[in-house]
Amino acid sequence: MKITGNKLYQRVAASITEAIEAGRWSPGSRLPGERDLAEEYKVSRPTIREAMIALEMKGWIEARHGSGLYVTRRDHGSGERADALNFDVGAFDLTEARILFEGEAVALAAVSITDEQIEELEAILHDMGADDSDEPAVMDADHRFHLAIANATGNAAIRSVVEYLWELRTKSPLAANMFARAKRGGITPRVEEHRPILDSLKARDPHAARNAMRRHLRGVVDDLLEATELEAMERARSEIDARRNSVAQRLRIGSA
């Protein structure tokens, strides 16, 4: 199935809601797996993941203890669907945009950065690694690191674009939800992921800086995929633990 429309994850989500309303998947039925949906809609796994999270946030589907995603209801009203699924950008689309913009921004910064700005970045990395258990401080250092690079380009428009992309992490409900899932999975910015970027800037090497930034941000995509998969695994483990406890209680009754 080939789909057209607005944002890709929204088009997939809207198509799935149409299929639910048409009776393809009835309430209580299990949706196909992620890979099957990606093949059917001819999109990537990250796009399917964003569509599923959007549908889950609006109550169309629910995850059941790691066994999969299930339809919760079908009658949402024909006027609700378009607005209800408009969650702006998801974390994968946002990070893809950052790969493009910040990759080029850091390349420009590499040929214009000052010694003082490099010292600032060193101090920020020190703050990031000072106490990795202080999650708000680590996130703040991550934000400051990337904005300092944008500022080092000497281009106010580039800095504004990078700042806007960072604001979307919290202003877009879908992106905020996905990054929150990553935090619950224990995924936070790491100094070792940022060090190659700074080393390339010190060397004033735009090509190395671009590649280092892109590697870092592609790692963010991998982390987001892992975080949402870990949530499913945790649900599965919870289900197994509950069954194990139930069996243990029954055995105790039988041996009493």
Side-chain angles (χ1 to χ4, degrees), residues 55-75:
L55 291 171
E56 187 177 2
M57 288 172 66
K58 290 304 297 183
W60 284 85
I61 62 176
E62 64 179 0
R64 295 185 182 174
H65 301 294
S67 64
L69 294 169
Y70 291 79
V71 177
T72 56
R73 52 180 175 160
R74 188 167 66 194
D75 184 15

Side-chain angles (χ1 to χ4, degrees), residues 20-248:
I20 291 172
E21 290 182 329
R24 177 180 176 185
W25 296 300
S26 59
S29 64
R30 185 180 184 276
L31 288 177
E34 186 177 275
R35 294 184 186 279
D36 291 335
L37 288 171
E39 182 177 347
E40 177 178 350
Y41 288 98
K42 295 181 172 54
V43 296
S44 66
R45 285 178 60 209
T47 297
I48 291 296
R49 192 73 57 84
E50 287 182 335
M52 294 300 100
I53 291 174
L55 291 171
E56 187 177 2
M57 288 172 66
K58 290 304 297 183
W60 284 85
I61 62 176
E62 64 179 0
R64 295 185 182 174
H65 301 294
S67 64
L69 294 169
Y70 291 79
V71 177
T72 56
R73 52 180 175 160
R74 188 167 66 194
D75 184 15
H76 287 250
S78 59
E80 179 186 348
R81 183 173 61 250
D83 292 335
L85 296 175
N86 185 16
F87 278 83
D88 205 5
V89 298
F92 294 116
D93 277 355
L94 175 57
T95 307
E96 182 179 52
R98 289 185 60 200
I99 290 171
L100 293 173
F101 282 100
E102 294 195 50
E104 295 309 308
V106 75
L108 179 58
V111 298
S112 60
I113 195 166
T114 66
D115 290 341
E116 291 76 13
Q117 288 169 331
I118 286 177
E119 290 177 4
E120 178 189 4
L121 287 169
E122 282 281 15
I124 293 172
L125 277 193
H126 178 270
D127 292 344
M128 190 183 297
D131 183 2
D132 56 12
S133 65
D134 186 353
E135 188 267 337
V138 172
M139 296 300 296
D140 176 68
D142 185 32
H143 184 198
R144 288 188 288 120
F145 183 87
H146 287 269
L147 285 188
I149 291 174
N151 192 55
T153 66
N155 186 309
I158 290 176
R159 191 188 192 287
S160 294
V161 170
V162 172
E163 177 70 62
Y164 172 71
L165 291 174
W166 271 85
E167 289 176 356
L168 284 176
R169 287 168 60 101
T170 55
K171 289 186 175 179
S172 168
L174 179 58
N177 180 281
M178 296 180 73
F179 282 115
R181 290 169 187 245
K183 289 180 185 178
R184 289 197 296 271
I187 295 173
T188 57
R190 295 176 285 270
V191 172
E192 60 268 22
E193 295 176 355
H194 294 77
R195 174 59 63 181
I197 301 172
L198 179 52
D199 289 343
S200 299
L201 289 170
K202 286 181 177 179
R204 269 71 175 185
D205 187 336
H207 301 293
R210 180 188 294 113
N211 290 335
M213 180 66 78
R214 288 177 175 175
R215 281 195 302 272
H216 163 52
L217 292 175
R218 288 186 184 117
V220 172
V221 172
D222 292 339
D223 284 346
L224 287 166
L225 283 169
E226 181 182 0
T228 46
E229 287 173 350
L230 284 174
E231 281 202 339
M233 292 170 63
E234 287 296 332
R235 286 192 290 264
R237 279 194 286 267
S238 296
E239 174 74 5
I240 291 170
D241 289 342
R243 289 180 179 176
R244 183 183 293 117
N245 290 337
S246 176
V247 170

